[in-house]
Structures are given as structure tokens and as C-alpha cells.
Amino acid sequence: MTVGVVVPVRGWAPYLAEALDCILAEEPSEVVVVDDASEDPVVLHPDHVAQGVRLVRSDERLFLPGARNHGAAALGEGVELIAFCDGDDAWEPGSLTARVHALERAPWALGAFGSARIVGADGRETGERWDGPPPGSFDDVAALYERNPVPMSSVVLRRSAFAGFDTSYRSAEDWELWLRMTTAGGSWVSVPDAVVRYRRHSHAMSAQLTTLARATGELHARHAAAVSPELRALAAGRDRAGEAEGMIRAGRYREARALLPAGRRRTMLAVPVLRTLLGRRDPYRRG
């Protein structure tokens, strides 16, 4: 099956060469890098250009959802599968092959996804876990609503099933698309042996906690009819806690307290020394 890979980037892209090396080692049919209106245009390494990597530049800021849509539209007509890899992530050897083979064996599946090994800016593992479902079919709407087990850079979609990212989102647009496609009756193939290196760093969208929490709150509200009232309430509480976490880190303690239920964390925010300590915590730590 023919595979086209879409890699969105904006501005300084220190990890792009590593991402492209890993992608090209899997020998996809096409690779398109989308420069999302960088002030200093992205320049590809000549070796990558020689291997067929194409650079598509947008003069208007599209943000991640639009950049990915733009890249998908730029792929050749013969491409059957669309794989996504963000410019700061990377695939481990055999990752793409494993996902493509899984789709060949599951003609009913709209896409396949793998698992993530979370690394920091230096490439070393952070010790975090991104738990996913076991190998095989995955169509559990409730589980997908509760949390996102699908690493963006591990996804391969059938082009015929790709519904497009919602460009009104500035974060969590991938999770919203997975929910939209699954609640419409789609099924996936989980391929945990297909590993991607998902990179945490200060410039990543996932580090913008308030923006991310608000986006997840919006997607939970949009797809609320698909799950039980109990699950809706659980997700809403987590979204508020995530938004509060971002506000704590920004020093907006009064707003954070208003979002939190009565308890130890809310009490701590009333004490200047303790709330300062909370704001210094690792942004990905919970509890």
C-alpha cells in the first residue's frame, strides 16, 4: 500500500532532521513537510531533498490542524494511506511497516496507531507512561472519551477515511478527530509494537496546559452525547483541574482556586509559599 507522510513544522525545528531520517528509513512513497508560515522559512537538508522530501510552505498561519490538512491535500493522488509525524517526534525502526501490515490484515479498520516512548528535549526517556489498549481492534468510545490513548505521530489513516482536523481547535485537534471518526462507527487497529518517540519540551503544544485543558473541555462537550453522564462529569472535573494547573503555573491563583473543588490543593493556593511551590512542579505531574 502506498503511504504518504505529513510533517508539520513552524519556525526553528531542531528535531526535524532526526524525524525525517527515521521516516525515510521506513521508505514511504511520499514525504511532505509543511512550513506553517514560519517567519524564517524552513530549509530542508539537501540529503532529504535528494531523497524526495517535498517542502510545502503556507504564507498564512494554519496552526497544526490546518497544516496537517494542507499536507494531506498535497499528497499525490496515488497515496492510499496517510501517516502523520510531528517534526519533534520520531519513529523507531519498523514502526511504519508494522502499522501498514496491520491495516493490510484489517480491511475494516479506518486506521492504525502504535505506542509512545516519551522522551525529553535531550532524547532521554522521562519515565512517563502513555498507556494504550492491547493489540487488535479498538473501537471503545468511552475509553477514548476518557483519555487519548492515540499518539499523534503513531497514526496511519486510510486516505478514504480521513475526515480532516477541525481547524477551530488550537490544541487537542487530534483527539477530537479520533473521537469524531470513532463515534461515527469507525474502528482502529492498535499496534503497540509500532513505537514512536514522543518528545516533551517547553515549546511543545502539550506544555500549554491551560490551552490544552480548554480544548479538551470543548471536545468533551461536543461528544458528550456518546457517553454516560457519570463519564461526562469525570471528564469535566479533569478538564477543570488541568485548566487550574495551567493557571497556577501562570501565577493566576485566584482563578485556579475557583476551578478546584474544596480540598487540600485549593487550600494550598491560599498560602503564598505553598502556591509558589505548586507553580514550580513538573507540568506533566498529576495529583
Side-chain angles (χ1 to χ4, degrees), residues 30-34 44 48-49 51-56 71 73-76:
E30 292 187 37
V31 181
V32 171
V33 174
V34 182
L44 297 179
H48 294 145
V49 175
Q51 294 178 76
V53 178
R54 242 183 335 127
L55 181 66
V56 176
L75 295 171

Side-chain angles (χ1 to χ4, degrees), residues 91-107:
W91 295 341
E92 297 203 347
S95 173
L96 179 62
T97 300
R99 289 174 280 157
V100 171
H101 285 173
L103 285 175
E104 290 174 343
R105 295 190 298 269

Side-chain angles (χ1 to χ4, degrees), residues 13-187:
Y15 310 107
L16 179 60
E18 178 186 351
L20 292 177
D21 285 343
C22 296
I23 291 168
L24 290 168
E26 299 288 298
E27 300 183 341
S29 305
E30 292 187 37
V31 181
V32 171
V33 174
V34 182
D35 178 359
D36 187 17
S38 301
E39 293 183 8
D40 294 320
V42 172
V43 178
L44 297 179
H45 191 282
D47 288 348
H48 294 145
V49 175
Q51 294 178 76
V53 178
R54 242 183 335 127
L55 181 66
V56 176
R57 175 175 168 81
S58 172
D59 294 325
E60 177 184 356
R61 182 75 191 274
L62 301 174
F63 298 92
L64 276 173
R68 293 191 186 110
N69 290 343
H70 190 58
L75 295 171
E77 292 184 2
V79 167
E80 300 169 271
L81 303 176
I82 305 174
F84 295 95
C85 185
D86 287 349
D88 48 4
D89 297 337
W91 295 341
E92 297 203 347
S95 173
L96 179 62
T97 300
R99 289 174 280 157
V100 171
H101 285 173
L103 285 175
E104 290 174 343
R105 295 190 298 269
W108 43 264
L110 58 85
F113 63 90
S115 61
R117 191 186 314 279
I118 304 177
V119 301
D122 59 1
R124 292 187 295 182
E125 292 189 40
T126 66
E128 297 170 83
R129 293 176 57 87
W130 189 331
D131 293 326
S137 175
F138 177 76
D139 59 2
D140 189 335
V141 172
L144 183 56
Y145 184 92
E146 184 173 358
R147 65 180 187 84
N148 181 13
V150 183
M152 177 69 236
S153 293
S154 78
V155 168
V156 178
L157 293 174
R158 296 191 194 278
R159 194 173 197 175
S160 59
F162 177 51
F165 296 96
D166 187 331
T167 56
S168 68
Y169 281 76
R170 292 293 176 265
S171 185
E173 73 288 336
D174 54 337
W175 191 358
E176 193 283 326
L177 178 57
W178 315 152
L179 263 174
R180 183 162 21 110
M181 297 174 77
T182 308
T183 55
S187 295

